[in-house]
Amino acid sequence: MRVWAVANQKGGVGKTTTSVALAGLLADAGKRVLMVDLDPHGSMTSYFGQDPDSLEHSVFDLFQHQGSVPDGLARELLVSTSHERLALLPSSTVLATLERQSPGQSGLGLVISRSLTQLWGEFDHAIIDSPPLLGVLMVNALAASQQLVIPVQTEFLALKGLERMVRTLQMINRSRKQALPYTIVPTLFDRRTQASMNALKLLRANYQEHLWPAFIPVDTRLRDASRAGLAPSHYDANSRAVLAYRALLKQLLAAQQTSKVA
């Protein structure tokens, strides 16, 4: 199983949409995909018709065993979705209390890694939707992943969030055996606005080495897909945004293959 995390230390940049879009495209290609919602807001969970305010069981359960994960627990928490090859480990709002519980507990940073080990043979890919705050949940996402995708809205404040995310990644990499490769993805791009044009220009000037050279455009079909509870490619396979995400996925898979060879 290949594990990708989608993260940024700023909300509203398209993390959940990017996670679900990539998962849907992988499922279209016949892959079995696990989606992991680590955001207490539960946007990915809500996307697929679950209520993070009322779920009795969620990924929060994984963190209630002093850093260990009982055998079979991750599998018990799986929720089916609108697509037979997409499964979900749902979030709940109670995850927001985790930071207050975590002091004094060792091993909490590896809970998701240990949980995914229980499901390793059942899925080809796992995509983790990370919260927009640095804490035990984001640490779990980064520790478990082999590739990081950083969506960045093409506007000035989002670029500041990217700076914080890159600094966080540098800190995390000091505790990893191998640096986590990452790809920056410009999102919500609107070529009609000067703000989007300027932000894209800054990204290309300052982050060229890790920047996906294209962008995800503003597309109302993404909102429509979310409302329908369907991955974007299952709602409209030929929308502008889906075509862009398909190109992004092609590059991510090529990078993955290169890293395997290396």
Side-chain angles (χ1 to χ4, degrees):
M1 179 165 62
R2 300 296 295 180
V3 184
W4 297 348
V6 181
N8 194 326
Q9 285 178 243
K10 185 182 184 306
V13 298
K15 289 189 298 86
T16 299
T17 298
T18 296
S19 300
V20 174
L22 292 174
L25 287 166
L26 286 165
D28 292 345
K31 304 298 183 183
R32 300 163 301 166
V33 186
L34 171 64
M35 298 175 293
V36 184
D37 190 353
L38 288 188
D39 191 339
H41 290 111
S43 296
M44 177 185 277
T45 300
S46 298
Y47 194 112
F48 288 101
Q50 303 291 328
D51 183 4
D53 291 320
S54 61
L55 276 177
E56 186 176 350
H57 296 289
S58 70
V59 290
F60 181 74
D61 296 29
L62 300 171
F63 291 89
Q64 302 307 299
H65 306 278
Q66 302 298 314
S68 64
V69 182
D71 288 344
L73 179 58
R75 187 175 295 103
E76 292 174 12
L77 297 173
L78 289 176
V79 172
S80 59
T81 72
S82 53
H83 194 291
E84 63 180 359
R85 286 190 290 272
L86 294 178
L88 172 68
L89 276 174
S91 174
S92 63
T93 51
V94 72
L95 267 179
T97 68
L98 189 61
E99 298 296 336
R100 296 199 300 271
Q101 299 180 21
S102 58
Q105 294 192 51
S106 61
L108 282 188
L110 297 176
V111 166
I112 295 301
S113 294
R114 292 168 181 148
S115 301
L116 292 181
T117 298
Q118 298 182 3
L119 302 168
W120 209 257
E122 298 182 29
F123 295 95
D124 302 299
H125 283 264
I127 296 181
I128 304 172
D129 190 9
S130 175
L133 297 171
L134 176 58
V136 67
L137 291 168
M138 182 177 286
V139 168
N140 265 269
L142 298 182
S145 64
Q146 300 150 338
Q147 168 76 38
L148 173 63
V149 177
I150 308 178
V152 182
Q153 183 181 359
T154 45
E155 58 95 21
F156 179 73
L157 290 179
L159 300 188
K160 291 296 181 182
L162 174 60
E163 292 176 11
R164 291 192 296 272
M165 188 68 228
V166 171
R167 287 197 298 268
T168 293
L169 184 57
Q170 291 168 346
M171 177 188 71
I172 294 291
N173 278 340
R174 287 197 287 269
S175 63
R176 289 176 61 104
K177 294 180 181 178
Q178 190 172 8
L180 179 61
Y182 66 97
T183 300
I184 298 167
V185 179
T187 59
L188 297 166
F189 179 77
D190 187 346
R191 65 173 65 253
R192 298 169 299 180
T193 69
Q194 197 62 42
S196 273
M197 298 295 290
N198 289 341
L200 187 60
K201 187 180 298 184
L202 285 171
L203 285 170
R204 287 173 172 169
N206 297 325
Y207 297 97
Q208 186 174 16
E209 181 181 356
H210 295 280
L211 182 70
W212 180 50
F215 51 81
I216 307 298
V218 169
D219 189 343
T220 59
R221 302 301 276 171
L222 294 175
R223 183 184 60 218
D224 297 338
S226 174
R227 188 181 299 116
L230 298 171
S233 60
H234 305 156
Y235 184 81
D236 184 348
N238 295 310
S239 70
R240 292 182 302 133
V242 167
L243 294 176
Y245 276 120
R246 190 171 285 122
L248 170 63
L249 178 61
K250 183 177 180 180
Q251 174 159 319
L252 292 174
L253 291 174
Q256 171 183 291
Q257 194 61 36
T258 299
S259 67
K260 279 184 180 179
V261 172

